[in-house]
Amino acid sequence: THIAFASERTGNPQIWTMGSDGSNQKQITGMSGGACQPSWSPDGTKIAFISPCNGKREIYPGARIYITDSDGKNTDPLPIPLNRAGDFAPTWSPDGNMLAFVSLRADGRPHLFLFSFSDTSFQQITDAAYGDISPAWSSSGLQLAFVRQFPNPQIWITDLTGKQQFQYSP
């Protein structure tokens, strides 16, 4: 019943929430470098987002993923090693136990990674030469759809190990 969104109305993009009818708009972040790409946890208690965030882009070099309570309290970076290259595009698994995200940490190109909240581990699951962006979970939580930038964007699907990848063909 709530929407999280990024707005530049204060001069720097920040995360805001509001009711589904547009009421009760509230700024919940105040990151000096801005904040964007909000993603609600399935139970609605947490929001993942990135910072810094300068403008709308496909990739965000230098960004880090943060997790905050739905009211903006208790904001902490995702507990993975700091990577100055950039981590972005967080999206929660349907059960809320994992976060898929894109990172430039491996070789400077965007690849998909998974973070597990149960043991705070993370792993790279794609490594294509052209880069992979925009992860989206299947409703079962067993696969991810994503955009492979080869050389024209294509939709691909992978299992959670990254070993079974195939191009989507409608």
Side-chain angles (χ1 to χ4, degrees):
T1 62
H2 281 81
I3 297 169
F5 61 99
S7 174
E8 295 181 5
R9 65 182 74 179
T10 59
N12 199 8
Q14 297 296 338
I15 306 301
W16 290 66
T17 60
M18 68 179 180
S20 58
D21 63 357
S23 64
N24 301 318
Q25 294 187 20
K26 178 183 174 191
Q27 182 178 336
I28 65 164
T29 62
M31 308 294 280
S32 62
C36 64
Q37 295 190 331
S39 176
W40 283 102
S41 64
D43 66 4
T45 63
K46 306 270 185 205
I47 298 173
F49 67 92
I50 68 166
S51 182
C53 192
N54 300 319
K56 189 171 183 176
R57 305 173 183 195
E58 274 190 1
I59 63 171
Y60 289 86
R64 187 166 192 184
I65 298 170
Y66 292 84
I67 307 290
T68 189
D69 294 338
S70 61
D71 59 5
K73 294 185 166 100
N74 302 312
T75 300
D76 293 302
L78 195 66
I80 58 176
L82 177 62
N83 169 30
R84 299 208 186 278
D87 297 328
F88 52 95
T91 182
W92 297 83
S93 64
D95 63 9
N97 293 328
M98 290 186 283
L99 200 68
F101 64 96
V102 177
S103 181
L104 302 172
R105 70 178 54 235
D107 58 12
R109 289 188 300 265
H111 300 296
L112 300 187
F113 284 72
L114 286 178
F115 172 81
S116 170
F117 286 98
S118 64
D119 62 6
T120 66
S121 65
F122 74 104
Q123 64 179 356
Q124 182 176 346
I125 61 169
T126 67
D127 63 356
Y130 292 97
D132 300 319
I133 59 171
S134 304
W137 288 89
S138 66
S139 59
S140 69
L142 299 176
Q143 294 177 312
L144 285 164
F146 60 95
V147 174
R148 176 156 286 161
Q149 301 170 313
F150 171 80
N152 297 314
Q154 303 169 345
I155 297 173
W156 281 64
I157 297 173
T158 184
D159 67 351
L160 301 186
T161 67
K163 292 180 180 162
Q164 295 192 25
Q165 297 179 19
F166 59 92
Q167 184 178 358
Y168 174 73
S169 174

